[in-house]
C-alpha cells in the first residue's frame, strides 16, 4: 500500500501546483489558439469526451471503494492487534491519525488527477489526429503538392502543434516523476503479497490485494498510453510527409516549407518518467506492465523456493 499512497500523495501535490500555476487556464487558451489553425470547423461529436466521463465516473467509484475497503480492513486488523496487546505507538499513530486523512484523500485525488491527465493528453491527440487526417487527405488528392499556400498553412499549423506539445510537456511531466513507478511497484507488490503469503493473510485481505493489481495497472496505463499515442501520431506526420515526395519539387518555397516540417518532426517531444530514467514511446506501456506484475510473480517464486515453510 505504500506505493499506492506514494502515487496518491505525489499526484495530489502535482494537482496543487497545476492549480496554483493556472495550468488549466493556460492549456485551454493554448488549445484554442491551436484549434484556430484547423482547416475545417471542429467536429464536436468526434471531440466529445462523454465516454471518457462515463469511464472516469466508473473508475472513480471503483477506486474509492478499493481505497476505503483497504482502509477499513487495515483499521479492523489493527484493532484486533490492539486487543491482543501487540500495538506500537508509531503504528497506532499511523493507523489512527494518518490513515483517516491519507486514504480518503487518495480515494478522491487518484481518479481525479488520472482523469485530468488523460483528458489533457486526449485533447492534444485529437488535434494531432485531425492534423494527420487533413494532411493525408491533401497528399492523396495532390493538393499539398500543387498548392504552396496550403502547404504554408500546414507548416504554420504543425509549428503551433509542436510548440503546444512542448509547452504542455513541461507540466505533464510532473505526474510522471513518481506516478508510473509507484503503479508498477504497487502491482508487483500486490501480486507478491497476495500470492506468497496466502496462508498468513485472511482471504478478505487477499481479495483486496487482487483488486489493487488491475487498479494499479489501469492507473499506469492512463498515465503512459496517451503520451505514447502522441508519439505515434507525431511519427505518422513524418511518414505522411515522406509519402508526398516533395523533395523533388522544383519550387524553392515548397521545398523550403517541406524541409521545415520534416526538421520539426525530428524535435524530441517525448515525455520522460522518473526524472529522465526512460522515454515514453508507443511501446513503453506494454513493456512496463509486462514487467511489473511479472516481477511480483518472480518474487513469489523466489520466496517459495527460499522459504518454503513460511
Amino acid at each position: 500500500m505504500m506505493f499506492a499512497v506514494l502515487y496518491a500523495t505525489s499526484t495530489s501535490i502535482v494537482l496543487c501546483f497545476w492549480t496554483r500555476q493556472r495550468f488549466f487556464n493556460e492549456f485551454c487558451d493554448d488549445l484554442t489558439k491551436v484549434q484556430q489553425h484547423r482547416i475545417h470547423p471542429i467536429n464536436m461529436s468526434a471531440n466529445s469526451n462523454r465516454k471518457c466521463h462515463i469511464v472516469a465516473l466508473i473508475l472513480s467509484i471503483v477506486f474509492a471503494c478499493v481505497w476505503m475497503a483497504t482502509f477499513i480492513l487495515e483499521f479492523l486488523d489493527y484493532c484486533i492487534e490492539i486487543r491482543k496487546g501487540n500495538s506500537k505507538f508509531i503504528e497506532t499513530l499511523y493507523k489512527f491519525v494518518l490513515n483517516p486523512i491519507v486514504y480518503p484523500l487518495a480515494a478522491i485525488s487518484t481518479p481525479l488527477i488520472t482523469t485530468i491527465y488523460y483528458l489533457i493528453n486526449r485533447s492534444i491527440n485529437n488535434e494531432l489526429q485531425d492534423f494527420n487526417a487533413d494532411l493525408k487527405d491533401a497528399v492523396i488528392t495532390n493538393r499539398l503538392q500543387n498548392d504552396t499556400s496550403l502547404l504554408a498553412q500546414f507548416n504554420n499549423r504543425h509549428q503551433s502543434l509542436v510548440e503546444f506539445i512542448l509547452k504542455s510537456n513541461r507540466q505533464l511531466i510532473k505526474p510522471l516523476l513518481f506516478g508510473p513507478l509507484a503503479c508498477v511497484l504497487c502491482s508487483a507488490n500486490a501480486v507478491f503479497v497476495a500470492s506468497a503469503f496466502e496462508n498468513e493473510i485472511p482471504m478478505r485481505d487477499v481479495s483486496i490485494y487482487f483488486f489493487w493489481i488491475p487498479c494499479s495497472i489501469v492507473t499506469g496505463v492512463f498515465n503512459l498510453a496517451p503520451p505514447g499515442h502522441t508519439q505515434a501520431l507525431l511519427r505518422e506526420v513524418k511518414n505522411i510527409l515522406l509519402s508526398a515526395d516533395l523533395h523533388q519539387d522544383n519550387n524553392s518555397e515548397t521545398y523550403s516549407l517541406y524541409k521545415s516540417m520534416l526538421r520539426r518532426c525530428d524535435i524530441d517531444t517525448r515525455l520522460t518518467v522518473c526524472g529522465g530514467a526512460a522515454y515514453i514511446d508507443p511501446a513503453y506501456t506494454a513493456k512496463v506492465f509486462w514487467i511489473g506484475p511479472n516481477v511480483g510473480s518472480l518474487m513469489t517464486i523466489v520466496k517459495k523456493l527460499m522459504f518454503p515453510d513460511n
Side-chain angles (χ1 to χ4, degrees):
M1 287 310 304
M2 178 184 68
F3 304 116
V5 171
L6 174 63
Y7 175 82
T9 304
S10 62
T11 51
S12 298
I13 294 172
V14 169
L15 188 59
C16 292
F17 272 110
W18 280 358
T19 305
R20 181 182 178 184
Q21 297 172 0
R22 301 179 62 84
F23 168 57
F24 303 117
N25 292 339
E26 288 186 9
F27 179 84
C28 291
D29 291 341
D30 293 337
L31 179 62
T32 302
K33 293 176 183 177
V34 169
Q35 289 174 339
Q36 291 174 354
H37 291 278
R38 285 195 176 201
I39 297 176
H40 307 292
I42 299 175
N43 186 343
M44 297 305 296
S45 60
N47 288 275
S48 174
N49 292 319
R50 183 179 179 182
K51 292 182 179 179
C52 295
H53 295 157
I54 295 173
V55 172
L57 177 62
I58 296 172
L59 290 178
S60 298
I61 295 172
V62 172
F63 269 88
C65 291
V66 173
W67 272 107
M68 297 314 296
T70 306
F71 166 65
I72 292 170
L73 287 177
E74 288 188 357
F75 182 83
L76 293 176
D77 287 343
Y78 193 68
C79 287
I80 295 174
E81 293 298 318
I82 292 176
R83 294 180 63 181
K84 293 179 180 179
N86 298 328
S87 62
K88 298 178 181 178
F89 174 75
I90 297 297
E91 194 169 358
T92 302
L93 180 68
Y94 179 75
K95 299 289 185 181
F96 286 88
V97 178
L98 292 180
N99 278 6
I101 298 173
V102 172
Y103 277 61
L105 176 64
I108 297 171
S109 65
T110 300
L112 180 62
I113 188 68
T114 303
T115 302
I116 292 173
Y117 180 84
Y118 177 81
L119 290 175
I120 289 173
N121 279 281
R122 178 180 167 84
S123 299
I124 295 173
N125 291 341
N126 282 343
E127 294 305 311
L128 283 171
Q129 286 174 338
D130 187 82
F131 176 80
N132 288 354
D134 290 342
L135 183 64
K136 190 173 184 179
D137 180 68
V139 170
I140 293 174
T141 57
N142 290 323
R143 290 184 293 120
L144 192 70
Q145 296 88 326
N146 300 323
D147 190 346
T148 305
S149 62
L150 180 63
L151 181 59
Q153 289 181 24
F154 276 111
N155 180 58
N156 293 334
R157 186 178 174 187
H158 187 231
Q159 181 178 359
S160 67
L161 272 170
V162 172
E163 291 174 352
F164 174 52
I165 292 170
L166 290 173
K167 183 179 179 181
S168 300
N169 282 356
R170 289 197 288 270
Q171 295 292 339
L172 293 176
I173 197 174
K174 293 177 180 178
L176 301 176
L177 290 175
F178 300 106
L181 177 63
C183 291
V184 172
L185 293 176
C186 181
S187 64
N189 185 61
V191 171
F192 174 62
V193 173
S195 303
F197 299 94
E198 73 279 1
N199 296 327
E200 304 171 19
I201 299 179
M203 189 61 196
R204 66 175 189 276
D205 293 359
V206 173
S207 301
I208 290 296
Y209 276 106
F210 272 119
F211 268 109
W212 272 111
I213 298 170
C215 283
S216 58
I217 291 176
V218 167
T219 304
V221 168
F222 271 66
N223 276 269
L224 298 175
H229 186 48
T230 301
Q231 295 307 310
L233 292 171
L234 288 169
R235 291 180 185 179
E236 187 181 349
V237 174
K238 187 172 185 178
N239 293 334
I240 295 172
L241 287 171
L242 291 174
S243 68
D245 199 24
L246 289 173
H247 62 276
Q248 297 179 353
D249 198 293
N250 295 324
N251 188 324
S252 59
E253 184 180 358
T254 300
Y255 182 74
S256 176
L257 292 170
Y258 175 68
K259 292 296 291 183
S260 175
M261 292 184 71
L262 283 178
R263 283 194 297 268
R264 199 177 297 116
C265 289
D266 293 329
I267 295 176
D268 192 355
T269 58
R270 294 176 297 175
L271 284 169
T272 60
V273 295
C274 302
Y279 289 97
I280 299 177
D281 57 29
Y284 186 77
T285 307
K287 290 185 288 187
V288 165
F289 285 99
W290 182 84
I291 294 172
N294 283 313
V295 168
S297 301
L298 180 62
M299 291 165 60
T300 302
I301 294 172
V302 171
K303 194 262 181 185
K304 295 288 187 181
L305 292 175
M306 296 184 65
F307 308 100
D309 297 329
N310 294 332

